[in-house]
Amino acid sequence: MAGTLYIVSTPIGNLEDITLRALRVLGEVDCICAEDTRTTRKLLAHYHIRNRLVSCHAYNIKQRIPQIISRLQQGERVALVSEAGTPGISDPGHALVMAAVREGIAVVPIPGPSAVIAALVASGLPTNRFVFEGFLPRKKGRQTKLLQLKDEPGTIVLYESPQRVRKTIEDIVNIFGNRYIVLARELTKRFEEFIRGYASDILQLLDEGEMKGEIVLLIAGTQFKPFT
Ligand code: SAM
Protein backbone atom coordinates (compact mmCIF):
# COMPACT_ATOMS: atom_id res chain seq x y z
CA MET A 1 0.00 0.00 0.00
CA ALA A 2 1.27 3.47 -0.88
CA GLY A 3 2.27 5.78 1.95
CA THR A 4 1.16 9.31 2.68
CA LEU A 5 2.69 12.69 2.02
CA TYR A 6 1.93 15.15 4.84
CA ILE A 7 2.17 18.88 4.06
CA VAL A 8 3.09 20.27 7.45
CA SER A 9 2.88 23.99 8.25
CA THR A 10 5.55 25.29 10.63
CA PRO A 11 6.03 28.68 12.37
CA ILE A 12 6.79 31.88 10.42
CA GLY A 13 8.75 33.26 13.35
CA ASN A 14 7.26 32.40 16.71
CA LEU A 15 8.07 28.78 17.56
CA GLU A 16 4.84 28.47 19.57
CA ASP A 17 2.84 28.68 16.34
CA ILE A 18 2.73 24.98 15.59
CA THR A 19 -0.17 22.62 16.05
CA LEU A 20 -0.18 19.55 18.28
CA ARG A 21 -1.02 17.49 15.23
CA ALA A 22 2.00 18.87 13.32
CA LEU A 23 4.30 17.93 16.22
CA ARG A 24 2.84 14.41 16.38
CA VAL A 25 3.17 13.88 12.62
CA LEU A 26 6.75 15.22 12.56
CA GLY A 27 7.64 12.69 15.23
CA GLU A 28 5.82 9.75 13.62
CA VAL A 29 6.72 9.94 9.91
CA ASP A 30 9.51 7.86 8.38
CA CYS A 31 11.32 10.97 7.17
CA ILE A 32 10.95 14.74 6.89
CA CYS A 33 11.73 16.52 3.62
CA ALA A 34 12.93 19.95 4.71
CA GLU A 35 13.58 23.01 2.55
CA ASP A 36 16.11 24.24 5.11
CA THR A 37 17.42 21.46 7.34
CA ARG A 38 19.06 23.90 9.78
CA THR A 39 15.77 25.71 10.52
CA THR A 40 13.87 22.43 10.80
CA ARG A 41 16.52 20.93 13.06
CA LYS A 42 16.12 23.91 15.43
CA LEU A 43 12.34 23.48 15.46
CA LEU A 44 12.59 19.75 16.13
CA ALA A 45 15.17 20.30 18.89
CA HIS A 46 12.88 22.88 20.54
CA TYR A 47 10.14 20.22 20.77
CA HIS A 48 12.51 17.32 21.56
CA ILE A 49 11.61 15.52 18.34
CA ARG A 50 14.16 13.26 16.71
CA ASN A 51 13.61 12.20 13.13
CA ARG A 52 15.44 11.79 9.85
CA LEU A 53 15.73 14.89 7.65
CA VAL A 54 16.20 14.90 3.90
CA SER A 55 17.04 18.25 2.31
CA CYS A 56 14.59 19.21 -0.41
CA HIS A 57 15.06 22.73 -1.78
CA ALA A 58 14.71 24.66 -5.02
CA TYR A 59 18.10 23.48 -6.30
CA ASN A 60 17.70 19.73 -5.71
CA ILE A 61 13.94 19.17 -5.83
CA LYS A 62 14.02 17.77 -9.40
CA GLN A 63 16.38 14.97 -8.32
CA ARG A 64 14.61 14.47 -5.01
CA ILE A 65 11.09 14.03 -6.35
CA PRO A 66 11.61 10.54 -7.88
CA GLN A 67 13.42 9.39 -4.70
CA ILE A 68 10.62 10.60 -2.42
CA ILE A 69 7.89 9.22 -4.66
CA SER A 70 9.64 5.84 -4.60
CA ARG A 71 9.70 5.90 -0.76
CA LEU A 72 6.00 6.79 -0.72
CA GLN A 73 5.23 3.96 -3.16
CA GLN A 74 6.94 1.56 -0.79
CA GLY A 75 4.49 2.62 1.92
CA GLU A 76 6.57 5.21 3.80
CA ARG A 77 5.01 8.22 5.47
CA VAL A 78 6.81 11.42 4.52
CA ALA A 79 6.36 14.96 5.89
CA LEU A 80 7.16 17.99 3.78
CA VAL A 81 8.12 21.19 5.61
CA SER A 82 9.34 24.48 4.20
CA GLU A 83 11.73 26.99 5.72
CA ALA A 84 8.71 28.68 7.30
CA GLY A 85 4.95 28.62 7.02
CA THR A 86 2.95 26.43 4.69
CA PRO A 87 4.86 24.34 2.13
CA GLY A 88 3.95 25.13 -1.45
CA ILE A 89 3.00 28.75 -0.79
CA SER A 90 5.73 30.60 -2.71
CA ASP A 91 8.26 27.87 -2.03
CA PRO A 92 9.32 24.74 -3.95
CA GLY A 93 7.02 22.23 -2.19
CA HIS A 94 4.32 22.40 -4.83
CA ALA A 95 6.26 20.32 -7.38
CA LEU A 96 6.42 17.37 -4.97
CA VAL A 97 2.70 17.59 -4.21
CA MET A 98 1.91 17.57 -7.94
CA ALA A 99 4.07 14.50 -8.46
CA ALA A 100 2.43 12.68 -5.54
CA VAL A 101 -1.07 13.49 -6.82
CA ARG A 102 -0.07 12.30 -10.30
CA GLU A 103 1.06 8.97 -8.80
CA GLY A 104 -2.18 8.55 -6.85
CA ILE A 105 -0.46 8.95 -3.47
CA ALA A 106 -2.50 10.35 -0.57
CA VAL A 107 -1.61 13.94 0.29
CA VAL A 108 -2.72 15.17 3.71
CA PRO A 109 -2.48 18.83 4.77
CA ILE A 110 -1.55 19.62 8.37
CA PRO A 111 -2.67 23.28 8.38
CA GLY A 112 -1.01 26.06 10.30
CA PRO A 113 0.70 29.43 9.78
CA SER A 114 1.19 31.16 6.47
CA ALA A 115 2.35 34.77 6.15
CA VAL A 116 -0.33 35.56 3.55
CA ILE A 117 -3.22 34.77 5.91
CA ALA A 118 -1.61 36.24 9.04
CA ALA A 119 -0.98 39.52 7.20
CA LEU A 120 -4.40 39.67 5.58
CA VAL A 121 -6.49 39.09 8.70
CA ALA A 122 -4.72 41.81 10.71
CA SER A 123 -4.33 44.31 7.85
CA GLY A 124 -7.80 45.79 8.22
CA LEU A 125 -8.31 45.44 4.46
CA PRO A 126 -11.29 43.43 3.14
CA THR A 127 -10.85 39.69 3.56
CA ASN A 128 -14.02 38.54 1.76
CA ARG A 129 -12.16 38.61 -1.55
CA PHE A 130 -8.41 38.66 -2.09
CA VAL A 131 -5.79 37.61 -4.62
CA PHE A 132 -2.42 36.25 -3.60
CA GLU A 133 0.34 36.85 -6.14
CA GLY A 134 3.40 35.71 -4.15
CA PHE A 135 6.55 37.48 -5.39
CA LEU A 136 6.07 39.76 -8.39
CA PRO A 137 8.31 39.02 -11.37
CA ARG A 138 11.46 41.13 -11.07
CA LYS A 139 11.73 42.16 -14.72
CA LYS A 140 9.98 40.23 -17.50
CA GLY A 141 6.21 40.27 -17.05
CA ARG A 142 6.27 42.63 -14.07
CA GLN A 143 4.54 45.54 -15.80
CA THR A 144 1.94 43.23 -17.38
CA LYS A 145 1.18 41.62 -14.01
CA LEU A 146 0.73 45.00 -12.31
CA LEU A 147 -1.54 46.20 -15.11
CA GLN A 148 -3.65 43.02 -14.71
CA LEU A 149 -3.98 43.69 -10.97
CA LYS A 150 -4.87 47.37 -11.32
CA ASP A 151 -8.62 46.74 -11.61
CA GLU A 152 -8.80 43.88 -9.08
CA PRO A 153 -11.73 44.55 -6.70
CA GLY A 154 -10.36 42.42 -3.83
CA THR A 155 -7.31 42.93 -1.61
CA ILE A 156 -4.02 42.12 -3.37
CA VAL A 157 -1.42 40.30 -1.28
CA LEU A 158 2.26 40.16 -2.31
CA TYR A 159 5.43 38.79 -0.76
CA GLU A 160 8.28 41.25 -0.93
CA SER A 161 11.90 41.63 0.11
CA PRO A 162 13.09 44.67 2.10
CA GLN A 163 15.49 45.57 -0.74
CA ARG A 164 12.71 45.72 -3.33
CA VAL A 165 9.74 47.04 -1.37
CA ARG A 166 10.38 50.70 -2.25
CA LYS A 167 10.56 49.92 -5.97
CA THR A 168 7.31 47.96 -5.78
CA ILE A 169 5.49 50.78 -3.97
CA GLU A 170 6.80 53.25 -6.58
CA ASP A 171 5.43 50.98 -9.32
CA ILE A 172 2.08 50.84 -7.52
CA VAL A 173 1.88 54.64 -7.39
CA ASN A 174 2.76 54.85 -11.10
CA ILE A 175 0.36 52.15 -12.29
CA PHE A 176 -2.50 52.05 -9.72
CA GLY A 177 -2.36 55.64 -8.46
CA ASN A 178 -2.06 56.52 -4.80
CA ARG A 179 -3.66 53.37 -3.28
CA TYR A 180 -4.07 52.52 0.39
CA ILE A 181 -1.52 49.85 1.29
CA VAL A 182 -0.40 47.88 4.34
CA LEU A 183 3.09 46.59 5.06
CA ALA A 184 3.04 43.64 7.45
CA ARG A 185 6.58 43.19 8.71
CA GLU A 186 8.22 40.47 10.85
CA LEU A 187 4.91 38.75 11.62
CA THR A 188 4.82 36.79 14.89
CA LYS A 189 8.35 37.99 15.74
CA ARG A 190 9.68 40.47 18.28
CA PHE A 191 9.55 43.46 15.90
CA GLU A 192 6.20 42.67 14.30
CA GLU A 193 4.79 45.83 12.76
CA PHE A 194 1.89 46.93 10.55
CA ILE A 195 2.44 50.11 8.56
CA ARG A 196 -0.81 51.38 7.08
CA GLY A 197 -1.40 54.34 4.81
CA TYR A 198 -1.48 55.70 1.29
CA ALA A 199 1.38 54.58 -0.93
CA SER A 200 2.87 58.07 -1.32
CA ASP A 201 2.96 58.57 2.49
CA ILE A 202 4.60 55.20 2.97
CA LEU A 203 7.24 56.11 0.39
CA GLN A 204 8.04 59.20 2.45
CA LEU A 205 8.32 57.05 5.55
CA LEU A 206 10.74 54.75 3.73
CA ASP A 207 12.92 57.81 2.98
CA GLU A 208 13.60 57.99 6.71
CA GLY A 209 15.30 54.62 6.88
CA GLU A 210 15.75 51.26 5.24
CA MET A 211 13.11 48.65 6.00
CA LYS A 212 14.41 45.37 7.40
CA GLY A 213 13.02 41.86 7.88
CA GLU A 214 10.35 39.86 6.11
CA ILE A 215 7.48 41.71 4.50
CA VAL A 216 3.99 41.10 3.16
CA LEU A 217 2.65 43.96 1.08
CA LEU A 218 -1.12 44.33 0.82
CA ILE A 219 -2.80 46.67 -1.65
CA ALA A 220 -6.40 47.81 -1.31
CA GLY A 221 -8.53 46.62 -4.22
CA THR A 222 -10.84 48.90 -6.20
CA GLN A 223 -13.81 48.04 -3.90
CA PHE A 224 -12.02 49.24 -0.77
CA LYS A 225 -13.76 52.06 1.08
CA PRO A 226 -11.28 54.16 3.08
CA PHE A 227 -11.57 53.98 6.88
CA THR A 228 -13.66 56.84 8.29
N1 SAM B 1 5.65 29.31 2.67
C1 SAM B 1 5.71 30.58 3.33
C2 SAM B 1 4.31 30.92 3.88
O1 SAM B 1 3.47 30.05 3.99
O2 SAM B 1 4.08 32.10 4.21
C3 SAM B 1 6.28 31.67 2.46
C4 SAM B 1 7.63 31.39 1.88
S1 SAM B 1 8.29 32.67 0.90
C5 SAM B 1 9.76 31.90 0.30
C6 SAM B 1 8.97 33.79 2.06
C7 SAM B 1 8.26 35.15 2.06
O3 SAM B 1 7.08 35.05 2.89
C8 SAM B 1 9.07 36.28 2.68
O4 SAM B 1 9.93 36.88 1.71
C9 SAM B 1 7.99 37.24 3.13
O5 SAM B 1 7.51 38.00 2.04
C10 SAM B 1 6.90 36.26 3.59
N2 SAM B 1 7.06 35.96 5.03
C11 SAM B 1 7.45 34.79 5.58
N3 SAM B 1 7.49 34.91 6.93
C12 SAM B 1 7.11 36.17 7.22
C13 SAM B 1 6.96 36.92 8.44
N4 SAM B 1 7.22 36.38 9.61
N5 SAM B 1 6.54 38.21 8.35
C14 SAM B 1 6.28 38.78 7.16
N6 SAM B 1 6.41 38.13 5.98
C15 SAM B 1 6.83 36.86 6.01
Side-chain angles (χ1 to χ4, degrees):
M1 217 179 97
T4 302
L5 177 64
Y6 295 91
I7 312 303
V8 183
S9 301
T10 58
I12 56 168
N14 189 323
L15 287 187
E16 290 179 14
D17 292 333
I18 187 152
T19 68
L20 297 174
R21 187 174 175 219
L23 293 175
R24 179 176 57 73
V25 167
L26 291 175
E28 285 178 2
V29 288
D30 297 293
C31 81
I32 301 171
C33 294
E35 184 186 6
D36 183 329
T37 49
R38 273 203 314 188
T39 315
T40 305
R41 213 163 265 133
K42 270 191 213 150
L43 176 72
L44 296 184
H46 185 82
Y47 287 103
H48 309 289
I49 295 170
R50 287 171 70 95
N51 208 336
R52 201 149 55 93
L53 295 186
V54 176
S55 91
C56 191
H57 47 67
Y59 303 103
N60 71 0
I61 192 139
K62 269 204 182 124
Q63 297 94 285
R64 282 282 189 252
I65 286 176
Q67 299 165 0
I68 299 163
I69 293 293
S70 156
R71 283 169 179 271
L72 288 160
Q73 284 169 333
Q74 287 164 42
E76 285 198 16
R77 305 204 301 159
V78 176
L80 173 67
V81 299
S82 52
E83 189 184 349
T86 298
I89 303 298
S90 291
D91 61 41
H94 180 60
L96 176 60
V97 176
M98 269 171 65
V101 170
R102 204 169 41 233
E103 296 299 325
I105 292 160
V107 179
V108 173
I110 311 291
S114 188
V116 46
I117 298 299
L120 179 68
V121 295
S123 67
L125 293 173
T127 55
N128 60 324
R129 174 171 175 159
F130 68 95
V131 289
F132 172 60
E133 288 292 336
F135 295 97
L136 284 178
R138 290 202 176 175
K139 290 198 177 99
K140 196 166 171 284
R142 183 178 171 92
Q143 179 90 354
T144 314
K145 173 59 74 186
L146 285 166
L147 284 168
Q148 276 169 5
L149 292 171
K150 182 174 179 271
D151 298 320
E152 167 59 43
T155 301
I156 301 153
V157 190
L158 306 173
Y159 283 167
E160 197 43 277
S161 75
Q163 298 76 28
R164 299 190 60 80
V165 69
R166 159 175 277 284
K167 164 91 177 75
T168 299
I169 301 173
E170 283 169 357
D171 287 349
I172 291 166
V173 173
N174 289 333
I175 295 172
F176 292 49
N178 194 15
R179 286 278 178 97
Y180 192 90
I181 64 173
V182 178
L183 293 181
R185 200 175 73 81
E186 293 288 90
L187 291 165
T188 79
K189 302 185 199 175
R190 185 161 167 221
F191 297 108
E192 177 179 276
E193 180 181 29
F194 287 86
I195 304 170
R196 301 177 173 90
Y198 282 90
S200 60
D201 298 333
I202 303 227
L203 279 177
Q204 275 186 15
L205 204 80
L206 291 180
D207 286 341
E208 290 165 21
E210 191 200 325
M211 181 151 289
K212 294 203 177 90
E214 296 194 282
I215 298 168
V216 182
L217 168 57
L218 303 101
I219 309 163
T222 55
Q223 271 179 7
F224 172 69
K225 304 220 176 4
F227 303 103
T228 49

PDB file of all heavy atoms in Angstrom, residues 12 82 84-86 89-91 114-115 135 159-160 184 186-187 189 214-216, ligand 1:
ATOM      1  N   ILE A  12       6.167  30.851  11.281  1.00  0.00           N
ATOM      2  CA  ILE A  12       6.790  31.878  10.423  1.00  0.00           C
ATOM      3  C   ILE A  12       7.642  32.824  11.277  1.00  0.00           C
ATOM      4  O   ILE A  12       7.996  33.907  10.844  1.00  0.00           O
ATOM      5  CB  ILE A  12       5.739  32.670   9.592  1.00  0.00           C
ATOM      6  CG1 ILE A  12       4.681  33.312  10.501  1.00  0.00           C
ATOM      7  CG2 ILE A  12       5.091  31.788   8.546  1.00  0.00           C
ATOM      8  CD1 ILE A  12       3.802  34.323   9.764  1.00  0.00           C
ATOM      9  N   SER A  82       8.530  23.466   4.865  1.00  0.00           N
ATOM     10  CA  SER A  82       9.340  24.483   4.197  1.00  0.00           C
ATOM     11  C   SER A  82      10.153  25.232   5.240  1.00  0.00           C
ATOM     12  O   SER A  82      10.078  24.934   6.431  1.00  0.00           O
ATOM     13  CB  SER A  82       8.463  25.414   3.364  1.00  0.00           C
ATOM     14  OG  SER A  82       7.432  25.916   4.154  1.00  0.00           O
ATOM     15  N   ALA A  84       9.666  28.072   6.360  1.00  0.00           N
ATOM     16  CA  ALA A  84       8.715  28.679   7.296  1.00  0.00           C
ATOM     17  C   ALA A  84       7.330  28.642   6.666  1.00  0.00           C
ATOM     18  O   ALA A  84       7.195  28.701   5.446  1.00  0.00           O
ATOM     19  CB  ALA A  84       9.099  30.133   7.561  1.00  0.00           C
ATOM     20  N   GLY A  85       6.325  28.521   7.508  1.00  0.00           N
ATOM     21  CA  GLY A  85       4.951  28.621   7.022  1.00  0.00           C
ATOM     22  C   GLY A  85       4.457  27.362   6.343  1.00  0.00           C
ATOM     23  O   GLY A  85       4.837  26.241   6.704  1.00  0.00           O
ATOM     24  N   THR A  86       3.618  27.557   5.341  1.00  0.00           N
ATOM     25  CA  THR A  86       2.951  26.433   4.692  1.00  0.00           C
ATOM     26  C   THR A  86       3.690  26.030   3.417  1.00  0.00           C
ATOM     27  O   THR A  86       3.847  26.861   2.508  1.00  0.00           O
ATOM     28  CB  THR A  86       1.487  26.804   4.395  1.00  0.00           C
ATOM     29  OG1 THR A  86       0.842  27.059   5.649  1.00  0.00           O
ATOM     30  CG2 THR A  86       0.754  25.688   3.682  1.00  0.00           C
ATOM     31  N   ILE A  89       3.419  27.354  -0.626  1.00  0.00           N
ATOM     32  CA  ILE A  89       3.002  28.752  -0.792  1.00  0.00           C
ATOM     33  C   ILE A  89       4.268  29.581  -1.016  1.00  0.00           C
ATOM     34  O   ILE A  89       5.016  29.876  -0.077  1.00  0.00           O
ATOM     35  CB  ILE A  89       2.200  29.266   0.447  1.00  0.00           C
ATOM     36  CG1 ILE A  89       0.982  28.381   0.712  1.00  0.00           C
ATOM     37  CG2 ILE A  89       1.789  30.719   0.276  1.00  0.00           C
ATOM     38  CD1 ILE A  89      -0.047  28.341  -0.429  1.00  0.00           C
ATOM     39  N   SER A  90       4.509  29.883  -2.308  1.00  0.00           N
ATOM     40  CA  SER A  90       5.733  30.605  -2.713  1.00  0.00           C
ATOM     41  C   SER A  90       7.012  29.927  -2.241  1.00  0.00           C
ATOM     42  O   SER A  90       7.971  30.589  -1.833  1.00  0.00           O
ATOM     43  CB  SER A  90       5.715  32.055  -2.213  1.00  0.00           C
ATOM     44  OG  SER A  90       4.758  32.787  -2.877  1.00  0.00           O
ATOM     45  N   ASP A  91       7.003  28.606  -2.230  1.00  0.00           N
ATOM     46  CA  ASP A  91       8.255  27.867  -2.034  1.00  0.00           C
ATOM     47  C   ASP A  91       8.167  26.571  -2.830  1.00  0.00           C
ATOM     48  O   ASP A  91       7.109  26.257  -3.382  1.00  0.00           O
ATOM     49  CB  ASP A  91       8.580  27.682  -0.537  1.00  0.00           C
ATOM     50  CG  ASP A  91       7.534  26.908   0.211  1.00  0.00           C
ATOM     51  OD1 ASP A  91       7.029  25.909  -0.334  1.00  0.00           O
ATOM     52  OD2 ASP A  91       7.227  27.278   1.355  1.00  0.00           O
ATOM     53  N   SER A 114       0.691  30.724   7.765  1.00  0.00           N
ATOM     54  CA  SER A 114       1.191  31.157   6.470  1.00  0.00           C
ATOM     55  C   SER A 114       1.168  32.680   6.500  1.00  0.00           C
ATOM     56  O   SER A 114       0.189  33.270   6.970  1.00  0.00           O
ATOM     57  CB  SER A 114       0.314  30.623   5.332  1.00  0.00           C
ATOM     58  OG  SER A 114       0.941  30.920   4.110  1.00  0.00           O
ATOM     59  N   ALA A 115       2.243  33.301   6.026  1.00  0.00           N
ATOM     60  CA  ALA A 115       2.354  34.766   6.147  1.00  0.00           C
ATOM     61  C   ALA A 115       1.208  35.466   5.425  1.00  0.00           C
ATOM     62  O   ALA A 115       0.733  36.507   5.882  1.00  0.00           O
ATOM     63  CB  ALA A 115       3.703  35.214   5.594  1.00  0.00           C
ATOM     64  N   PHE A 135       5.565  36.465  -4.986  1.00  0.00           N
ATOM     65  CA  PHE A 135       6.555  37.477  -5.387  1.00  0.00           C
ATOM     66  C   PHE A 135       6.245  37.940  -6.808  1.00  0.00           C
ATOM     67  O   PHE A 135       6.027  37.105  -7.692  1.00  0.00           O
ATOM     68  CB  PHE A 135       7.966  36.889  -5.358  1.00  0.00           C
ATOM     69  CG  PHE A 135       8.431  36.505  -3.974  1.00  0.00           C
ATOM     70  CD1 PHE A 135       8.318  35.193  -3.527  1.00  0.00           C
ATOM     71  CD2 PHE A 135       8.969  37.456  -3.119  1.00  0.00           C
ATOM     72  CE1 PHE A 135       8.748  34.834  -2.251  1.00  0.00           C
ATOM     73  CE2 PHE A 135       9.400  37.112  -1.848  1.00  0.00           C
ATOM     74  CZ  PHE A 135       9.290  35.804  -1.414  1.00  0.00           C
ATOM     75  N   TYR A 159       4.234  38.965  -1.577  1.00  0.00           N
ATOM     76  CA  TYR A 159       5.426  38.786  -0.758  1.00  0.00           C
ATOM     77  C   TYR A 159       6.496  39.715  -1.331  1.00  0.00           C
ATOM     78  O   TYR A 159       6.590  39.874  -2.548  1.00  0.00           O
ATOM     79  CB  TYR A 159       5.910  37.334  -0.807  1.00  0.00           C
ATOM     80  CG  TYR A 159       5.083  36.383   0.049  1.00  0.00           C
ATOM     81  CD1 TYR A 159       5.212  35.009  -0.087  1.00  0.00           C
ATOM     82  CD2 TYR A 159       4.205  36.862   1.009  1.00  0.00           C
ATOM     83  CE1 TYR A 159       4.474  34.132   0.701  1.00  0.00           C
ATOM     84  CE2 TYR A 159       3.464  35.997   1.801  1.00  0.00           C
ATOM     85  CZ  TYR A 159       3.597  34.636   1.642  1.00  0.00           C
ATOM     86  OH  TYR A 159       2.871  33.778   2.434  1.00  0.00           O
ATOM     87  N   GLU A 160       7.282  40.306  -0.449  1.00  0.00           N
ATOM     88  CA  GLU A 160       8.276  41.254  -0.934  1.00  0.00           C
ATOM     89  C   GLU A 160       9.531  41.209  -0.067  1.00  0.00           C
ATOM     90  O   GLU A 160       9.461  40.808   1.100  1.00  0.00           O
ATOM     91  CB  GLU A 160       7.647  42.668  -0.947  1.00  0.00           C
ATOM     92  CG  GLU A 160       8.369  43.675  -1.785  1.00  0.00           C
ATOM     93  CD  GLU A 160       8.829  43.166  -3.138  1.00  0.00           C
ATOM     94  OE1 GLU A 160       9.901  42.539  -3.178  1.00  0.00           O
ATOM     95  OE2 GLU A 160       8.148  43.384  -4.149  1.00  0.00           O
ATOM     96  N   ALA A 184       3.047  44.495   6.258  1.00  0.00           N
ATOM     97  CA  ALA A 184       3.045  43.639   7.452  1.00  0.00           C
ATOM     98  C   ALA A 184       4.453  43.069   7.568  1.00  0.00           C
ATOM     99  O   ALA A 184       4.899  42.318   6.706  1.00  0.00           O
ATOM    100  CB  ALA A 184       2.024  42.523   7.296  1.00  0.00           C
ATOM    101  N   GLU A 186       7.733  41.311   9.732  1.00  0.00           N
ATOM    102  CA  GLU A 186       8.217  40.468  10.847  1.00  0.00           C
ATOM    103  C   GLU A 186       7.071  39.841  11.664  1.00  0.00           C
ATOM    104  O   GLU A 186       7.096  39.854  12.903  1.00  0.00           O
ATOM    105  CB  GLU A 186       9.146  41.294  11.756  1.00  0.00           C
ATOM    106  CG  GLU A 186      10.450  41.700  11.093  1.00  0.00           C
ATOM    107  CD  GLU A 186      11.393  40.515  10.922  1.00  0.00           C
ATOM    108  OE1 GLU A 186      11.311  39.849   9.872  1.00  0.00           O
ATOM    109  OE2 GLU A 186      12.184  40.251  11.835  1.00  0.00           O
ATOM    110  N   LEU A 187       6.091  39.330  10.966  1.00  0.00           N
ATOM    111  CA  LEU A 187       4.909  38.751  11.625  1.00  0.00           C
ATOM    112  C   LEU A 187       5.295  37.681  12.627  1.00  0.00           C
ATOM    113  O   LEU A 187       6.148  36.830  12.337  1.00  0.00           O
ATOM    114  CB  LEU A 187       3.987  38.140  10.559  1.00  0.00           C
ATOM    115  CG  LEU A 187       3.311  39.168   9.651  1.00  0.00           C
ATOM    116  CD1 LEU A 187       2.737  38.484   8.415  1.00  0.00           C
ATOM    117  CD2 LEU A 187       2.244  39.922  10.402  1.00  0.00           C
ATOM    118  N   LYS A 189       7.009  37.849  15.142  1.00  0.00           N
ATOM    119  CA  LYS A 189       8.350  37.986  15.736  1.00  0.00           C
ATOM    120  C   LYS A 189       8.388  39.201  16.656  1.00  0.00           C
ATOM    121  O   LYS A 189       7.428  39.965  16.743  1.00  0.00           O
ATOM    122  CB  LYS A 189       9.404  38.145  14.628  1.00  0.00           C
ATOM    123  CG  LYS A 189       9.426  36.987  13.650  1.00  0.00           C
ATOM    124  CD  LYS A 189      10.554  37.172  12.674  1.00  0.00           C
ATOM    125  CE  LYS A 189      10.350  36.347  11.436  1.00  0.00           C
ATOM    126  NZ  LYS A 189      11.369  36.605  10.427  1.00  0.00           N
ATOM    127  N   GLU A 214      11.227  40.470   7.110  1.00  0.00           N
ATOM    128  CA  GLU A 214      10.347  39.857   6.108  1.00  0.00           C
ATOM    129  C   GLU A 214       9.067  40.674   5.988  1.00  0.00           C
ATOM    130  O   GLU A 214       8.533  41.145   6.989  1.00  0.00           O
ATOM    131  CB  GLU A 214      10.034  38.429   6.528  1.00  0.00           C
ATOM    132  CG  GLU A 214      11.285  37.572   6.552  1.00  0.00           C
ATOM    133  CD  GLU A 214      10.952  36.110   6.638  1.00  0.00           C
ATOM    134  OE1 GLU A 214      10.628  35.660   7.746  1.00  0.00           O
ATOM    135  OE2 GLU A 214      11.017  35.432   5.599  1.00  0.00           O
ATOM    136  N   ILE A 215       8.590  40.779   4.757  1.00  0.00           N
ATOM    137  CA  ILE A 215       7.478  41.710   4.501  1.00  0.00           C
ATOM    138  C   ILE A 215       6.386  41.078   3.645  1.00  0.00           C
ATOM    139  O   ILE A 215       6.663  40.407   2.648  1.00  0.00           O
ATOM    140  CB  ILE A 215       8.002  42.963   3.753  1.00  0.00           C
ATOM    141  CG1 ILE A 215       9.025  43.704   4.622  1.00  0.00           C
ATOM    142  CG2 ILE A 215       6.865  43.907   3.368  1.00  0.00           C
ATOM    143  CD1 ILE A 215       9.791  44.756   3.884  1.00  0.00           C
ATOM    144  N   VAL A 216       5.144  41.348   4.040  1.00  0.00           N
ATOM    145  CA  VAL A 216       3.993  41.096   3.165  1.00  0.00           C
ATOM    146  C   VAL A 216       3.423  42.465   2.819  1.00  0.00           C
ATOM    147  O   VAL A 216       3.232  43.301   3.706  1.00  0.00           O
ATOM    148  CB  VAL A 216       2.924  40.228   3.862  1.00  0.00           C
ATOM    149  CG1 VAL A 216       1.764  39.953   2.902  1.00  0.00           C
ATOM    150  CG2 VAL A 216       3.519  38.911   4.357  1.00  0.00           C
TER     151      VAL A 216
HETATM  152  N1  SAM B   1       5.653  29.306   2.669  1.00  0.00           N
HETATM  153  C1  SAM B   1       5.706  30.580   3.335  1.00  0.00           C
HETATM  154  C2  SAM B   1       4.312  30.924   3.877  1.00  0.00           C
HETATM  155  O1  SAM B   1       3.465  30.051   3.987  1.00  0.00           O
HETATM  156  O2  SAM B   1       4.084  32.103   4.210  1.00  0.00           O
HETATM  157  C3  SAM B   1       6.276  31.668   2.462  1.00  0.00           C
HETATM  158  C4  SAM B   1       7.626  31.387   1.879  1.00  0.00           C
HETATM  159  S1  SAM B   1       8.292  32.667   0.900  1.00  0.00           S
HETATM  160  C5  SAM B   1       9.758  31.898   0.301  1.00  0.00           C
HETATM  161  C6  SAM B   1       8.971  33.790   2.062  1.00  0.00           C
HETATM  162  C7  SAM B   1       8.262  35.146   2.063  1.00  0.00           C
HETATM  163  O3  SAM B   1       7.080  35.051   2.892  1.00  0.00           O
HETATM  164  C8  SAM B   1       9.072  36.281   2.682  1.00  0.00           C
HETATM  165  O4  SAM B   1       9.928  36.876   1.706  1.00  0.00           O
HETATM  166  C9  SAM B   1       7.989  37.241   3.125  1.00  0.00           C
HETATM  167  O5  SAM B   1       7.509  38.003   2.035  1.00  0.00           O
HETATM  168  C10 SAM B   1       6.897  36.255   3.590  1.00  0.00           C
HETATM  169  N2  SAM B   1       7.058  35.962   5.027  1.00  0.00           N
HETATM  170  C11 SAM B   1       7.447  34.791   5.583  1.00  0.00           C
HETATM  171  N3  SAM B   1       7.490  34.907   6.931  1.00  0.00           N
HETATM  172  C12 SAM B   1       7.108  36.173   7.220  1.00  0.00           C
HETATM  173  C13 SAM B   1       6.964  36.918   8.437  1.00  0.00           C
HETATM  174  N4  SAM B   1       7.217  36.378   9.615  1.00  0.00           N
HETATM  175  N5  SAM B   1       6.542  38.208   8.348  1.00  0.00           N
HETATM  176  C14 SAM B   1       6.281  38.781   7.161  1.00  0.00           C
HETATM  177  N6  SAM B   1       6.414  38.131   5.985  1.00  0.00           N
HETATM  178  C15 SAM B   1       6.830  36.860   6.008  1.00  0.00           C
END
